[in-house]
Amino acid sequence: MTVLACLAGAANAAPYVLPENQPGALTAYDWTPVYGIDALYAIGDEDTVPDMWGARASFSLYSQQRASVRHQFSLNVAYEMGDKKDHGIKTDMHLMPITLGYNVHLAVTDEVAFYLGGKAGYTIGEAEYKVAQYKHTIDTDGFNFTVGAGLHIQCSDAVYVRLGYEFGRTYVDKDDVKDNFGQHIISLGVGCQF
């Protein structure tokens, strides 16, 4: 009887405590890491710049909270290539813009938002011009920026798709070439949160 009384007293004295939030569990107010990939089609704004195809990979921090204004900061690396033949001159161009970006998302509903944003960084590029047997290659490295807008659709808690338009300009400042060129970029992409 004494043993049962001791065990009952000890069991009664131990309070039940609910566990706290588990470490690593994200809430709606945390900055969520997002990995994304976009398909790009860039239309050159000059006769000397070819239309280009490419892809862009990005790593972002996204404000997932259920608010009417959400923010997204990103690191982006893209690759674009294209060629053009005009008046007997064939142009092959390759670009690799590396940029930092910011987008502000204006929510229409919890799942749909318009976004506005910009990116700035550095482009590593090369253009090759061919006339008959003659070839001339120039570096098109330089500072670049883009500004744009689009539509962001949250398909699930972890996946979104986006469709956007950007205008970009690259400023080439080399010893042999000082020029700038622009592109009208249409992008279609998907992002996934982990």
Side-chain angles (χ1 to χ4, degrees), residues 28-29 64-68 70 110-111 154 157:
Y29 297 97
Q64 182 69 7
Q65 63 183 337
R66 300 292 185 204
S68 59
R70 303 171 194 160
D110 284 344
E111 291 79 25
Q154 196 74 35
D157 286 343

Side-chain angles (χ1 to χ4, degrees), residues 62 65-70 104-116 150-154:
Y62 179 60
Q65 63 183 337
R66 300 292 185 204
S68 59
V69 177
R70 303 171 194 160
V104 61
H105 296 253
L106 307 171
V108 177
T109 68
D110 284 344
E111 291 79 25
V112 178
F114 290 107
Y115 69 86
L116 304 165
L151 185 64
H152 172 110
I153 301 170
Q154 196 74 35

Side-chain angles (χ1 to χ4, degrees), residues 41-52 84 181-184:
Y41 180 64
I43 303 165
D45 74 341
E46 299 175 12
D47 291 340
T48 58
V49 179
D51 294 350
M52 304 177 82
K84 180 178 190 172
F181 60 89
Q183 294 178 306
H184 302 276

Side-chain angles (χ1 to χ4, degrees), residues 92-110:
D92 286 317
M93 189 176 261
H94 302 271
L95 300 175
M96 189 170 74
I98 302 167
T99 57
L100 293 173
Y102 169 75
N103 288 340
V104 61
H105 296 253
L106 307 171
V108 177
T109 68
D110 284 344

Side-chain angles (χ1 to χ4, degrees), residues 1-14:
M1 195 64 139
T2 306
V3 172
L4 286 175
C6 288
L7 289 176
N12 191 21

Side-chain angles (χ1 to χ4, degrees), residues 77-148:
V77 178
Y79 182 76
E80 302 172 24
M81 62 183 167
D83 58 37
K84 180 178 190 172
K85 190 165 187 176
D86 193 25
H87 304 296
I89 301 172
K90 184 173 185 211
T91 305
D92 286 317
M93 189 176 261
H94 302 271
L95 300 175
M96 189 170 74
I98 302 167
T99 57
L100 293 173
Y102 169 75
N103 288 340
V104 61
H105 296 253
L106 307 171
V108 177
T109 68
D110 284 344
E111 291 79 25
V112 178
F114 290 107
Y115 69 86
L116 304 165
K119 298 175 185 63
Y122 194 78
T123 296
I124 300 167
E126 181 178 270
E128 181 181 82
Y129 299 97
K130 290 183 193 176
V131 179
Q133 300 301 321
Y134 176 74
K135 285 185 193 178
H136 180 63
T137 302
I138 62 169
D139 288 332
T140 55
D141 301 352
F143 170 78
N144 78 315
F145 76 90
T146 62
V147 291

